[in-house]
Amino acid sequence: AQGISSSQTELEGLDPDMDAWKGKCGTGSGADTWTSGFEGPWTVNPIQWDNSYFTTLVGHNWTNSTGPGGKQQWHSSEKPQGLGAFGGSEEIMMLTSDVALLNDPTYLDIVNEFAGDSTALDESFAAAWHKLTTSAFGNDDNARCTGAAPYVASPAKDAAAPSTSAASGLLTSCMIGFLL
């Protein structure tokens, strides 16, 4: 099934900015949703904040295979299970971009650090989130925070949330990717 185009949406008397997402796929939620084709959780409990993504990544040997959505993804021969999207459990999977972290010495150090120390992950995430949401990334003319009290760099704030570490940089890059 396909969604409907903006012009088809207008022909059906619907608002193309608000109603095109409904498409012709049933309700548009739950079992009627479509994914990118990558299927499965990355962790045992994907709705809980912890470092299990990293412990799972380093704790298994990953083999490339075709997932249930027809896309190439990675599975472990140990078949670890995580919470399923519709209840029950599903086999944990990784993408090529995840497994690539294990094959780069710089990123592998970060992955191992986060797998062994959840506080390091928490602190690096806080620093990356702080940088992502408060700084202009060197472009002060186009700062993201333009409210009444924009972020002002201060050595005390920046020392408490160092944003130049490799780990923080990795997390900031991942967050920007998710936001785009």
Side-chain angles (χ1 to χ4, degrees), residues 8-90:
Q8 289 173 316
T9 304
E10 288 177 9
L11 287 173
E12 293 188 23
L14 302 171
D15 179 352
D17 293 326
M18 299 301 294
D19 297 318
W21 65 270
K22 292 179 182 176
K24 296 179 180 178
C25 304
T27 65
S29 63
D32 291 333
T33 58
W34 291 89
T35 69
S36 63
F38 298 112
E39 305 292 335
W42 276 266
T43 68
V44 172
N45 188 354
I47 60 173
Q48 176 181 326
W49 172 261
D50 59 21
N51 68 337
S52 64
Y53 164 79
F54 296 101
T55 59
T56 302
L57 183 60
V58 298
H60 297 279
N61 293 315
W62 300 97
T63 304
N64 189 271
S65 62
T66 301
K71 301 289 186 177
Q72 294 296 302
Q73 54 193 60
W74 296 73
H75 291 97
S76 169
S77 60
E78 295 98 2
K79 299 191 182 301
Q81 300 289 303
L83 289 178
F86 302 105
S89 63
E90 292 181 57

Side-chain angles (χ1 to χ4, degrees), residues 157-168:
K157 281 185 195 175
D158 294 339
S163 58
T164 57
S165 73
S168 176

